[in-house]
Amino acid sequence: MMKATIEFDDVLYRRLKVEAARRGRTVRDLVAEGVRHVLDAPPSTADASTSALWQPAWFGLLRTYAAAVDDHAMSAVKRSVARGRGAEPAR
């Protein structure tokens, strides 16, 4: 058995304790069950779409600008960004 320390915000921990009590289980058992559930579940399209939530919004903008060029050199990406802003940069 490995021992781990996990920090939860107060509201989430209270909810966890209430649910564990409601089920007649320990917090440890409920957390282990939840981790097993996540690890044993097959990857889904929902997982792929929610992973974008963990990225800053500007990642999507960079992806858009990079897709607008065939040459992914930094100078080409900068030109693409400038076009997106409406001005061609000085070379």
Side-chain angles (χ1 to χ4, degrees):
M1 258 310 180
M2 293 294 296
K3 191 171 196 173
T5 301
I6 303 172
E7 293 183 11
F8 294 100
D9 68 61
D10 292 342
V11 173
L12 180 60
Y13 188 71
R14 280 193 297 272
R15 288 177 59 199
L16 177 60
K17 282 185 75 160
V18 166
E19 186 61 23
R22 188 183 73 74
R23 293 178 184 211
R25 315 253 323 263
T26 65
V27 168
R28 178 187 308 227
D29 290 342
L30 200 58
V31 169
E33 179 183 329
V35 170
R36 273 194 230 65
H37 175 76
V38 169
L39 295 178
D40 293 344
S44 69
T45 55
D47 292 338
S49 66
T50 57
S51 67
L53 298 175
W54 295 97
Q55 297 176 353
W58 54 268
F59 273 31
L61 294 173
L62 290 179
R63 192 175 304 112
T64 301
Y65 293 133
V69 296
D70 293 329
D71 176 9
H72 292 284
M74 184 53 77
S75 59
V77 173
K78 286 179 180 178
R79 285 192 302 276
S80 176
V81 169
R83 277 194 305 276
R85 291 183 180 157
E88 184 71 28
R91 293 182 191 198

